[in-house]
Amino acid sequence: MTLEVDNSARGPMDIRRVMAALPHRYPMLLIDRVVSLVPNQSIHAIKAVSVNEPFFQGHFPTRPIMPGVLIVEAMAQAAGVLAVESMNLADSGKLVYFMSIDGAKFRSPVEPGCLMDLLVEVTQNRGAICKFSGKAMVDGKLVAEANFVAMISDPPKD
């Protein structure tokens, strides 16, 4: 399975189209919309961080901060949308699995009320396995970054 070359920009994508690309659902769906997507190259997605997120009940009740691991997960979900849309696999049942995370850095806390911009680029494409570089931004300020690898595969058989 290889990514076909199609560099025509797409977007915006609403939540219904995001949900067609990803199997995640509340409370684990961390992409609210896609601003733009260039197949096989990059995606700009948005996560609206609300005080009603379930993780804020315990992280931390008196000073709510989005867990760093969920910021990385949001970047990975953006990469998943990019891969699925690039390969025209929406509603196919294919899954995008995390394989590795490298160089994760957290620069500033993400709090309720933020609009988090997720900017992800493909750095290497080997068919079903791709490497990505991601950045999370709030108000134009870098809050987190990471490199990661993901694999597109069929779901496990029961």
Side-chain angles (χ1 to χ4, degrees):
M1 175 182 332
T2 59
L3 295 176
E4 296 176 14
V5 177
D6 174 8
N7 295 334
S8 57
R10 299 179 195 167
M13 292 171 54
D14 66 13
I15 191 64
R16 289 180 300 276
R17 193 142 157 225
V18 170
M19 291 173 69
L22 296 176
H24 305 76
R25 297 296 180 262
Y26 178 85
M28 283 305 297
L29 181 60
L30 300 175
I31 302 294
D32 292 310
R33 65 185 158 104
V34 172
V35 175
S36 65
L37 181 149
V38 179
N40 309 308
Q41 291 183 20
S42 64
I43 187 169
H44 175 188
I46 300 287
K47 165 64 179 153
V49 182
S50 166
V51 73
N52 295 322
E53 309 279 355
F55 50 80
F56 285 137
Q57 291 177 1
H59 199 270
F60 304 100
T62 59
R63 177 76 161 78
I65 296 172
M66 185 172 186
V69 69
L70 293 181
I71 297 170
V72 173
E73 173 66 21
M75 287 187 280
Q77 287 183 22
V81 172
L82 174 58
V84 166
E85 284 291 315
S86 295
M87 297 174 75
N88 296 314
L89 296 174
D91 289 323
S92 71
K94 298 276 189 191
L95 297 177
V96 181
Y97 293 105
F98 242 145
M99 292 179 67
S100 70
I101 305 167
D102 188 41
K105 294 181 181 156
F106 305 97
R107 310 274 185 202
S108 184
V110 175
E111 301 171 317
C114 291
L115 277 181
M116 188 166 57
D117 290 285
L118 305 162
L119 308 170
V120 178
E121 295 181 348
V122 175
T123 59
Q124 188 175 47
N125 174 359
R126 293 199 170 158
I129 298 176
C130 294
K131 291 185 179 180
F132 301 93
S133 175
K135 293 181 180 180
M137 314 281 288
V138 173
D139 293 329
K141 180 180 174 186
L142 181 66
V143 296
E145 60 188 318
N147 298 308
F148 43 94
V149 179
M151 173 180 66
I152 299 169
S153 181
D154 290 317
K157 301 204 186 293
D158 291 336

